[in-house]
């Protein structure tokens, strides 16, 4: 079986790399194939997608791939995909899907940081911060800064007893909390216009139904 299979696509060509072939064989066949194709297409830029199948190319192997394409200036790799993912990526996704439970006291200048969602049932002093890549649910006495969706997850929310907070942050947006902003338990979320808005806590399912979907699946 060929180490490299070429297929035409709507906007260029697709390359399928045989996961059972040696990388040296793949590189050699790729170089020969691109050389012939370069002569057959003397004009214009050509985009390629590369599918590595059930093999993940490490950084060195990806560099070898790039070096082959560098010999053919009109050819460019638009995307490299694989049927498998790195174990580190899987671990990160699992961690991001977790819900953490935290208590204790967070004093001024201190910060608690979580990968995933967090239910905070402790005491957050002014100047302290609770930060999570997912949503933050406040059950305790919170008088500092809560940052959900750190650094760029705009689907995260901050929910619960928010009236004592000094700031609510979601992704890169910041709201300065006034005393009358959150008289009752509420949910703060980011709108499609990239603005922070808030509503009654009872509306959380309507605002972010995926939070409840994840809970029910778990």
């Amino acid at each position: 079986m060929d180490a490299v299979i070429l297929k035409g696509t709507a906007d260029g060509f697709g390359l399928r790399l045989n996961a059972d072939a040696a990388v040296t064989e793949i590189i050699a066949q790729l170089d020969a194939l691109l050389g012939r194709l370069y002569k057959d297409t003397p004009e214009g830029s050509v985009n390629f997608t590369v599918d590595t199948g059930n093999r993940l190319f490490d950084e060195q192997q990806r560099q070898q791939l790039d070096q082959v394409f560098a010999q053919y200036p009109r050819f460019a790799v638009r995307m490299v995909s694989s049927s498998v993912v790195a174990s580190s990526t899987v671990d990160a996704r699992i961690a991001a899907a977790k819900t953490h439970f935290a208590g204790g006291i967070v004093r001024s200048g201190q910060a608690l940081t979580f990968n995933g969602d967090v239910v905070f049932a402790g005491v957050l002093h002014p100047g302290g911060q609770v930060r999570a890549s997912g949503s933050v649910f406040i059950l305790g006495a919170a008088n500092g800064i809560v940052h959900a969706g750190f650094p760029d997850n705009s689907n995260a929310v901050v929910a619960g007893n928010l009236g004592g907070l000094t700031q609510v942050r979601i992704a890169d947006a910041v709201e300065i909390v006034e005393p009358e902003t959150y008289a009752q338990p509420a949910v703060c979320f980011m709108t499609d216009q990239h603005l922070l808005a808030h509503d009654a806590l009872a509306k959380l399912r309507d605002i972010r139904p995926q939070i409840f979907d994840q809970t029910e699946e778990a």
Side-chain angles (χ1 to χ4, degrees):
M1 186 176 179
D2 291 336
V4 181
I5 299 173
L6 177 70
K7 293 184 178 181
T9 65
D11 57 354
F13 291 97
L15 293 168
R16 172 80 180 192
L17 309 185
N18 183 357
D20 295 325
V23 174
T24 53
E25 183 181 4
I26 289 173
I27 295 301
Q29 285 195 21
L30 178 63
D31 190 17
L33 187 153
L34 293 182
R36 294 193 300 271
L37 194 60
Y38 204 77
K39 293 178 181 178
D40 294 339
T41 57
E43 296 181 356
S45 299
V46 181
N47 289 322
F48 289 81
T49 60
V50 179
D51 181 0
T52 64
N54 293 325
R55 166 187 276 157
L56 281 174
F57 268 34
D58 59 27
E59 184 176 350
Q60 182 179 4
Q61 292 166 341
R62 179 58 194 268
Q63 287 177 352
Q64 290 179 275
L65 186 69
D66 292 339
Q67 287 169 0
V68 174
F69 273 90
Q71 300 176 67
Y72 308 97
R74 291 186 292 103
F75 291 175
V77 177
R78 183 169 58 86
M79 180 178 68
V80 176
S81 62
S82 173
S83 301
V84 293
V85 295
S87 59
S88 58
T89 302
V90 174
D91 291 343
R93 290 177 181 175
I94 292 173
K98 285 184 177 178
T99 299
H100 304 270
F101 294 86
I105 299 174
V106 183
R107 295 181 171 83
S108 178
Q110 295 180 328
L112 287 182
T113 303
F114 301 90
N115 189 13
D117 298 335
V118 61
V119 177
F120 181 72
V123 177
L124 176 63
H125 286 188
Q129 185 174 167
V130 174
R131 182 170 60 192
S133 62
S135 297
V136 180
F137 302 94
I138 301 295
L139 300 183
N143 298 283
I145 300 169
V146 171
H147 191 169
F150 176 83
D152 56 6
N153 177 9
S154 60
N155 289 319
V157 302
V158 178
N161 303 317
L162 312 184
L165 295 175
T166 56
Q167 288 185 22
V168 173
R169 303 177 183 177
I170 297 178
D172 59 352
V174 179
E175 178 185 47
I176 305 299
V177 179
E178 302 295 341
E180 67 278 5
T181 304
Y182 298 107
Q184 301 294 330
V187 54
C188 181
F189 60 97
M190 184 174 287
T191 67
D192 293 338
Q193 290 74 39
H194 206 75
L195 300 173
L196 294 189
H198 51 87
D199 208 330
L201 185 58
K203 297 290 187 66
L204 178 57
R205 179 183 283 273
D206 297 329
I207 294 167
R208 290 290 187 268
Q210 62 268 34
I211 292 176
F212 293 86
D213 294 340
Q214 291 171 357
T215 303
E216 290 164 0
E217 288 173 2

